[in-house]
Amino acid sequence: MPQPKSVPKKLGARPLGKRVIVAPIEVDLVSEGGVMLPETMRHKPDEAQIVAVGDHEDIKVAVGDLVHLPSFVGTPINVDEVLYRVVNYDDIIAVTL
């Protein structure tokens, strides 16, 4: 099962309006059956963890939530040498319960 990164206590960026900042979910390079996966499979492009939420009143996700996104959505940003994506809230497909 993919594991989310730990949510940073203070992120050096804040999304504006109806946007969220997400961190990609990293997967192990060895499958449960012991098969080595290629480096290109390190991130699951459709799953991410919310690390910051904009100030729009319609946003119904919280920091720490796991969400599903389209594969190539969002703007990549580099904060404290970590790559995140700024995503429009309307692009979130589902929240993992």
Side-chain angles (χ1 to χ4, degrees):
M1 178 84 178
Q3 295 300 315
K5 294 179 179 179
S6 61
V7 176
K9 298 238 186 268
K10 181 169 177 164
L11 187 65
R14 179 174 51 94
L16 299 176
K18 207 171 179 183
R19 294 181 182 88
V20 297
I21 297 178
V22 298
I25 302 286
E26 291 190 1
V27 296
D28 292 330
L29 290 179
V30 178
S31 72
E32 291 178 15
V35 175
M36 293 290 293
L37 300 173
E39 185 69 30
T40 56
M41 296 298 296
R42 188 170 219 18
H43 297 288
K44 292 194 78 168
D46 63 337
E47 289 184 296
Q49 183 178 32
I50 303 287
V51 295
V53 177
D55 56 2
H56 198 277
E57 65 270 0
D58 289 343
I59 294 179
K60 294 178 173 68
V61 294
V63 172
D65 285 351
L66 298 177
V67 295
H68 294 271
L69 303 164
S71 293
F72 299 104
V73 71
T75 302
I77 61 169
N78 193 342
V79 179
D80 299 327
E81 311 229 359
V82 177
L83 188 62
Y84 298 99
R85 287 191 291 166
V86 179
V87 176
N88 288 322
Y89 173 73
D90 294 330
D91 289 331
I92 296 173
I93 298 170
V95 177
T96 301
L97 301 177

